[in-house]
Amino acid sequence: MRRERPFQVGEVSSFERRFTDEDVLEFQRISGDAGRHHARPDAQGRRVVHGLLTATLPTRLGGDIDFLAREMQFDFLRPVFTGDTVRCEMTITEVAPEAGRVRLALSGSCWNQDGKEVLRIHARGVVLDEGA
């Protein structure tokens, strides 16, 4: 994605998605993580969404700006279940231009449809200049 303006501290991006049984089963197949809480629905018919599947929300936002993560910290605060809609917001907290790249630090959180925080994220990495 080509940027028409420089990155700014305080810039916020967001993404939201609803997790389905198909998402969990496909991630289970790809990751090999077939823990019973992912594989078997609970008494309400829900599966627990893999933590790293939930973490694809902030990584999706990073992909939108061609962010190459060097460090990522995830604090998983509460479970996400199939049927939940999760919204992620990431904020740029540091911008350091360098030759051929810009170093960024990002922080953010994800909340479920009830407004409960489910994931907290901190990341550091770079966005390379186009052609670098």
Side-chain angles (χ1 to χ4, degrees):
M1 169 194 235
R2 187 179 189 119
R3 300 262 322 175
E4 295 181 15
R5 60 185 170 77
F7 295 100
Q8 299 289 324
V9 170
E11 187 176 333
V12 177
S13 57
S14 63
F15 179 68
E16 179 178 291
R17 74 173 285 189
R18 182 176 181 272
F19 289 98
T20 66
D21 273 341
E22 293 77 22
D23 295 329
V24 171
L25 294 173
E26 183 65 10
F27 194 83
Q28 178 180 307
R29 185 189 68 75
I30 291 168
S31 69
D33 179 354
R36 69 175 171 259
H37 49 288
H38 302 306
R40 292 187 213 144
D42 66 10
Q44 298 173 343
R46 308 172 305 173
R47 297 175 199 273
V48 175
V49 175
H50 298 77
L52 290 178
L53 179 54
T54 303
T56 63
L57 276 70
T59 61
R60 160 53 160 63
L61 292 171
D64 287 347
I65 61 170
D66 292 324
F67 180 73
L68 296 168
R70 300 291 172 95
E71 301 173 25
M72 298 180 84
Q73 177 184 340
F74 297 113
D75 296 317
F76 299 97
L77 305 173
R78 59 178 27 94
V80 172
F81 298 96
T82 53
D84 285 355
T85 298
V86 177
R87 178 176 177 77
C88 182
E89 289 186 4
M90 295 295 290
T91 302
I92 296 175
T93 58
E94 293 178 33
V95 177
E98 296 179 355
R101 71 187 71 218
V102 61
R103 290 194 179 280
L104 297 177
L106 308 166
S107 291
S109 290
C110 297
W111 298 269
N112 66 17
Q113 68 278 353
D114 298 322
K116 294 183 179 178
E117 190 178 25
V118 298
L119 177 62
R120 197 169 296 137
I121 310 102
H122 300 281
R124 292 186 171 280
V126 299
V127 175
L128 300 175
D129 288 345
E130 201 162 309

